[in-house]
């Protein structure tokens, strides 16, 4: 990922803090912050042991938010996610015991290991920002951010997320393996004490909420909006595409671009924001035809082709002289 400008000072503090634990992974860190500031969620698809859990834990500690982890298994029930009412013999009443979904930052580990019924309990919370327990709607904590993981290698005994549910995630990203130098640095950093235990908050929860509000107010010129719409329209008519980008995907692209611009210390979106984020925002929302998949085409490569086929908006002075 290419730096488009210097990072926002508050964002730099978070990145530097997470770098104490996650070495050499600036791209997934910045993308995760993009989703967090945009009020979206992340699907992290990668092999075990590359630091997915550490990324979420260090992010939660950096912004002083409540961290919860859900280990998805085939026997997990929706009530294990949302919470359940338990009878108290002393008070002769049922008492609600909240589930882990009521945290601020939630790690949904191996989401494709559990049944669609339990997956739906999580995905409903992600979309509606509340849960329904015994007919009562309960609002979720604010901020609320989910990072779900899945293993792309071992599919035995899994329940793959359908396209309609994949669309609930703002971004789909990967961690990737470290290079030799970075792995040596990891071994030296771990030593006798894991660096996650040394991570301290660099901002408060209220600071994060203010940053989310500021990111939402980033300016998007009509030419940038047209650029996003052109991407969506072309994806729907492309001969290699079976299911193109939905209107919700277009909205997600704009929200992500605004947060990415804020991260890079700008109060306006530029075409480069869309180009950098498009494979991560649009890739999992596009379904290719079987012939294209057999030819080795991936959704991310298709997105790059779409970007090359569309004229880039010309920068206007009015964007900076508002």
């Amino acid at each position: 990922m290419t730096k488009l400008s210097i990072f926002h000072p508050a964002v730099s503090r978070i990145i530097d803090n997470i770098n104490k634990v996650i070495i050499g992974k600036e791209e997934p860190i910045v993308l995760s912050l993009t989703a967090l500031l945009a009020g979206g969620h992340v699907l992290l698809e990668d092999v075990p042991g590359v630091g997915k859990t550490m990324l979420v834990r260090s992010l939660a500690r950096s912004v002083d938010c409540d961290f919860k982890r859900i280990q998805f298994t085939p026997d997990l029930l929706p009530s294990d996610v949302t919470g359940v009412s338990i009878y108290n013999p002393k008070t002769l009443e049922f008492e609600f015991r909240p589930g882990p979904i009521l945290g601020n930052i939630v790690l949904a580990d191996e989401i494709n290991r559990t049944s669609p019924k339990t997956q739906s309990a999580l995905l409903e919370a992600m979309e509606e920002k509340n849960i329904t327990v015994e007919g009562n709607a309960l609002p979720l904590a604010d901020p609320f951010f989910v990072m779900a993981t899945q293993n792309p290698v071992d599919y035995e005994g899994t329940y793959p997320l359908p396209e309609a549910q994949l669309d609930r995630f703002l971004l789909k990203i990967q961690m990737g393996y470290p290079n030799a130098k970075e792995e040596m640095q990891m071994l030296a950093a771990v030593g006798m004490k894991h660096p996650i235990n040394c991570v301290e908050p660099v901002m408060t929860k209220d600071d994060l909420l203010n940053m989310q509000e500021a990111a939402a107010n980033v300016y998007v010129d009509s030419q940038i909006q047209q650029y996003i719409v052109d991407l969506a329209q072309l994806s729907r008519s492309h001969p290699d595409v079976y299911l193109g980008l939905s209107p919700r995907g277009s909205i997600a692209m704009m929200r992500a671009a605004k947060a990415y611009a804020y991260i890079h210390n700008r109060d306006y979106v530029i075409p480069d924001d869309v180009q950098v984020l498009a494979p991560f925002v649009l890739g999992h929302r596009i379904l290719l035809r079987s012939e294209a998949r057999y030819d080795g085409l991936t959704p991310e490569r298709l997105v790059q082709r779409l970007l090359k086929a569309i004229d880039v908006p010309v920068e206007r002075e009015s964007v900076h002289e508002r």
Side-chain angles (χ1 to χ4, degrees):
M1 179 179 291
T2 303
K3 288 185 179 180
L4 302 182
S5 62
I6 191 171
F7 289 130
H8 188 284
V11 174
S12 292
R13 294 200 301 271
I14 300 175
I15 295 175
D16 292 342
N17 215 34
I18 298 176
N19 280 335
K20 298 175 183 177
V21 181
I22 307 294
I23 299 174
K25 296 299 176 185
E26 185 175 284
E27 179 180 272
I29 293 173
V30 171
L31 291 173
S32 298
L33 286 171
T34 299
L36 176 61
L37 294 182
H41 309 283
V42 170
L43 178 62
L44 186 50
E45 185 178 69
D46 218 320
V47 297
V50 293
K52 300 186 293 291
T53 301
M54 288 298 105
L55 171 59
V56 190
R57 286 184 61 189
S58 56
L59 175 58
R61 288 198 177 198
S62 297
V63 296
D64 199 21
C65 284
D66 186 26
F67 171 74
K68 300 291 185 181
R69 175 177 177 173
I70 310 171
Q71 183 64 53
F72 283 91
T73 56
D75 60 345
L76 198 72
L77 299 175
S79 58
D80 296 324
V81 175
T82 60
V84 64
S85 294
I86 299 177
Y87 182 72
N88 188 334
K90 293 183 179 180
T91 62
L92 304 180
E93 294 179 349
F94 282 91
E95 296 178 354
F96 178 66
R97 302 289 178 86
I101 197 63
L102 292 173
N104 292 122
I105 295 182
V106 180
L107 172 62
D109 210 1
E110 294 189 287
I111 187 175
N112 58 335
R113 289 285 174 191
T114 196
S115 67
K117 184 177 182 180
T118 305
Q119 289 175 358
S120 297
L122 174 69
L123 296 169
E124 175 191 3
M126 292 165 54
E127 181 68 17
E128 305 297 334
K129 295 296 178 71
N130 62 53
I131 57 174
T132 303
V133 179
E134 298 176 354
N136 299 317
L138 299 177
L140 296 177
D142 197 16
F144 176 64
F145 173 67
V146 173
M147 180 172 283
T149 71
Q150 62 180 12
N151 184 351
V153 178
D154 184 11
Y155 285 106
E156 184 176 354
T158 62
Y159 302 86
L161 294 173
E163 285 68 28
Q165 293 180 341
L166 284 173
D167 201 35
R168 306 294 174 90
F169 292 97
L170 184 69
L171 302 172
K172 180 182 177 182
I173 64 178
Q174 294 180 327
M175 291 286 289
Y177 286 117
N179 58 39
K181 181 180 179 181
E182 293 167 349
E183 197 159 3
M184 284 291 292
Q185 291 176 335
M186 290 180 190
L187 297 180
V190 172
M192 298 181 62
K193 186 177 182 180
H194 201 288
I196 188 64
N197 298 318
C198 302
V199 173
E200 297 291 337
V202 296
M203 67 175 55
T204 66
K205 191 184 302 183
D206 289 337
D207 292 333
L208 175 59
L209 291 173
N210 290 334
M211 291 172 66
Q212 288 182 330
E213 183 178 358
N217 290 326
V218 168
Y219 174 74
V220 184
D221 189 78
S222 60
Q223 288 192 87
I224 302 294
Q225 292 176 343
Q226 186 63 54
Y227 189 40
I228 295 172
V229 170
D230 290 344
L231 274 173
Q233 294 290 330
L234 185 57
S235 74
R236 297 165 194 165
S237 60
H238 197 280
D240 290 328
V241 175
Y242 176 75
L243 182 65
L245 187 66
S246 69
R248 179 161 56 187
S250 300
I251 295 172
M253 183 72 256
M254 186 176 70
R255 286 169 50 204
K258 292 166 73 171
Y260 192 74
Y262 176 83
I263 285 174
H264 289 84
N265 208 25
R266 280 182 279 105
D267 62 353
Y268 56 91
V269 174
I270 61 176
D272 292 42
D273 297 325
V274 176
Q275 293 170 356
V276 169
L277 291 173
F280 306 102
V281 178
L282 310 184
H284 63 287
R285 291 180 161 89
I286 294 176
L287 185 62
L288 298 178
R289 296 187 182 277
S290 57
E291 297 87 351
R293 296 199 305 272
Y294 294 149
D295 290 338
L297 183 63
T298 64
E300 291 75 18
R301 291 178 183 173
L302 177 73
V303 171
Q304 296 292 355
R305 293 182 183 179
L306 297 179
L307 289 170
K308 292 179 180 178
I310 299 174
D311 293 334
V312 179
V314 178
E315 187 176 12
R316 297 191 309 201
E317 293 297 329
S318 58
V319 172
H320 304 283
E321 298 177 355
R322 291 181 289 115

